[in-house]
Amino acid sequence: MALDTLIRAARAVVDGAETAALVGVRDGRIAVVRTGATLASAAEAVTPLELDAAVVVDLADDEVLLPGLVDTHVHVNEPGRTEWEGFASATRAAARGGVTTIVDMPLNSVPPTTTLEALRTKQDAARGQAWVDVGFWGGAIPGNVPDLEPLHAAGVFGFKCFLLHSGVDEFPALDPEAFAEAMSETARLDALMIVHAEDAHTIDHAPPSDGRAYVGFLRSRPRAAEDLAVARVVEQARRTGGRAHVLHLSSSDAITTIHAARADGVRLSVETCPHYLTFTAEDVPDGATEFKCCPPIRESSNRERLWQGLVEGDIDLVVTDHSPCTADLKALDTGDFGTAWGGIAGLQLGLAATWSGARARGLGLPDVVRWMAEAPALQVGLERKGRIAVGADADLAAFAPDETFVVDPGALEHRNPVSAYAGRSLTGVVRRTWLAGTPVDLDAGPRGRLVRRGEA
């Protein structure tokens, strides 16, 4: 059978290495992969008939073919707070940033995704306006343990919980007893529990954050709060035998606990985010509330230890924790870190930010693909995503790794033009994105699917 599309790339990331590659697509899946030192050598093992295609795409010499990224930490906020972000704007931003699958967090939408009915509401909101594929997390809150099994059966990718106030009243935190109960249930289901790990008691007794000083905000969310909470996650994962995941790791001090737990066989995975790998506390100006996020951006030495944790395998993946809001909620007029919403919008910029930091440290595109495509896809069981391989979904991106640009928030697809990256020079531009083998055209209708856990 003829191919629908043949992509010829002098550089591609395949099986953890950069190589020349011929990638053939049929019916939305990758049907042929041939690699070699050059395109000519890649084609030597096949006949011209085997590479017959209706459309042939030749990547430019300065482009690298990547698998589409999988971002498992995105706050879309629709319905209920669609003015913060919505499925249309979020998935357009994803496509522009080389992300072809997102998994939506169970908050800050109204209702939160804590019941089967709320999941149906969220799916109805997403249907027909997604430019990339979209999946959903469920939420674990006080009193909803009976809801976890129906949500699991309906295909959510796991359950998110907070160990302190989430920032929105409709998604309450789990106290230690409720967390233990919820972890027992997710262990029974063999479902993944993903945890915002900051200790409420520690933060309640830290100096309060108010005013424009970033150092004051940093003191209000100390590393000890993360370190204690990560230890509690480890304890419950060990006790139950269940699967746990630490969200948006900011404190590098917790890596020692994480490493020891995994060495003991605790089923634990860990993520960090591009903003923790890019920014440092020393560089955040007072009053610059666009940098506020929870847990916070920490010191430069902490940032470098996070990079070391990625390289050594103690941190598994990099996802954006895209958490936007309207400009007024960022308190940009007062610069008050105590009242500003905590969250950084980075969905469209995650690849460029991470690649900029990686190349500056002598790391390669295969590393970034492992952290941002392969590992997130494996974490949620989307085995056809995040890699260039026969049988995989033909979700791909043409990436120019040497092209630089200066971030203009108004030029992003994010609904609100507020960005901690504003004015920053980044390296790496996504020039084209394919979803199921077809180029994503933002001037045409959306073609993204709603995906669920258990789909191969």
Side-chain angles (χ1 to χ4, degrees), residues 71-72 74 76 87 90-91 94 99-104 132-135 347:
D71 193 336
T72 54
V74 178
V76 176
F87 285 102
T91 56
V99 177
T100 51
T101 304
I102 66 170
V103 185
D104 175 52
V132 301
D133 289 351
V134 178
L347 181 55

Side-chain angles (χ1 to χ4, degrees), residues 13-317:
V13 176
V14 181
D15 289 336
E18 192 172 310
T19 180
L22 300 170
V23 179
V25 177
R26 184 185 300 118
D27 296 331
R29 302 271 190 90
I30 296 173
V32 174
V33 178
R34 296 289 186 269
T35 61
T38 65
L39 282 173
S41 61
E44 286 178 355
V46 294
T47 67
L49 183 61
E50 288 178 297
L51 296 179
D52 180 35
V55 176
V56 176
V57 178
D58 288 300
L59 264 60
D61 290 342
D62 66 338
E63 293 177 342
V64 182
L65 186 66
L66 305 181
L69 306 188
V70 178
D71 193 336
T72 54
H73 196 151
V74 178
H75 293 269
V76 176
N77 307 323
E78 185 176 7
R81 292 189 175 95
T82 310
E83 69 274 15
W84 295 17
E85 192 75 279
F87 285 102
S89 54
T91 56
R92 288 170 66 92
R96 285 278 302 276
V99 177
T100 51
T101 304
I102 66 170
V103 185
D104 175 52
M105 284 292 165
L107 75 162
N108 303 300
S109 57
V110 181
T113 316
T114 55
T115 66
L116 186 58
E117 180 181 6
L119 173 64
R120 300 302 184 214
T121 299
K122 181 73 73 80
Q123 291 170 326
D124 288 344
R127 195 169 284 113
Q129 59 169 338
W131 264 264
V132 301
D133 289 351
V134 178
F136 302 92
W137 295 106
I141 61 172
N144 87 322
V145 167
D147 294 296
L148 303 187
E149 185 170 8
L151 283 165
H152 182 72
V156 300
F157 287 94
F159 298 94
K160 179 176 186 176
C161 72
F162 279 75
L163 303 184
L164 80 171
H165 195 283
S166 70
V168 293
D169 291 339
E170 66 272 6
F171 200 95
L174 298 179
D175 63 23
E177 293 75 20
F179 178 52
E181 181 184 9
M183 272 293 297
S184 293
E185 177 66 357
T186 56
R188 184 184 72 82
L189 297 170
D190 197 29
L192 183 62
M193 177 69 88
I194 64 176
V195 186
H196 182 122
E198 288 182 281
D199 179 67
H201 181 268
T202 301
I203 289 178
D204 286 345
H205 289 79
S209 173
D210 56 15
R212 296 171 52 84
Y214 184 73
V215 66
F217 172 62
L218 192 59
R219 289 169 180 159
S220 76
R221 315 288 292 216
R223 295 189 197 197
E226 274 193 89
D227 303 339
L228 286 169
V230 168
R232 186 177 307 143
V233 174
V234 168
E235 175 190 3
Q236 291 302 327
R238 191 190 304 275
R239 178 187 67 84
T240 63
R243 301 163 58 213
H245 177 76
V246 174
L247 295 165
H248 45 50
L249 183 70
S250 160
S251 171
S252 62
D253 292 347
I255 292 176
T256 300
T257 299
I258 290 163
H259 181 89
R262 285 157 51 130
D264 285 347
V266 176
R267 301 170 74 191
L268 182 72
S269 55
V270 184
E271 69 184 44
T272 193
C273 304
H275 45 273
Y276 299 128
L277 299 171
T278 301
F279 305 117
T280 67
E282 294 92 334
D283 295 332
V284 177
D286 288 347
T289 51
E290 61 269 29
F291 290 92
K292 180 179 177 178
C293 57
C294 300
I297 294 163
R298 303 192 187 277
E299 300 82 0
S300 59
S301 58
N302 182 87
R303 179 187 65 180
E304 296 313 307
R305 182 67 184 90
L306 293 177
W307 276 106
Q308 184 180 352
L310 276 168
V311 171
E312 295 178 355
D314 292 316
I315 301 173
D316 303 276
L317 53 134

Side-chain angles (χ1 to χ4, degrees), residues 400-413:
D402 300 319
E403 183 177 345
T404 62
F405 67 102
V406 175
V407 176
D408 174 6
L412 301 175
E413 297 290 339

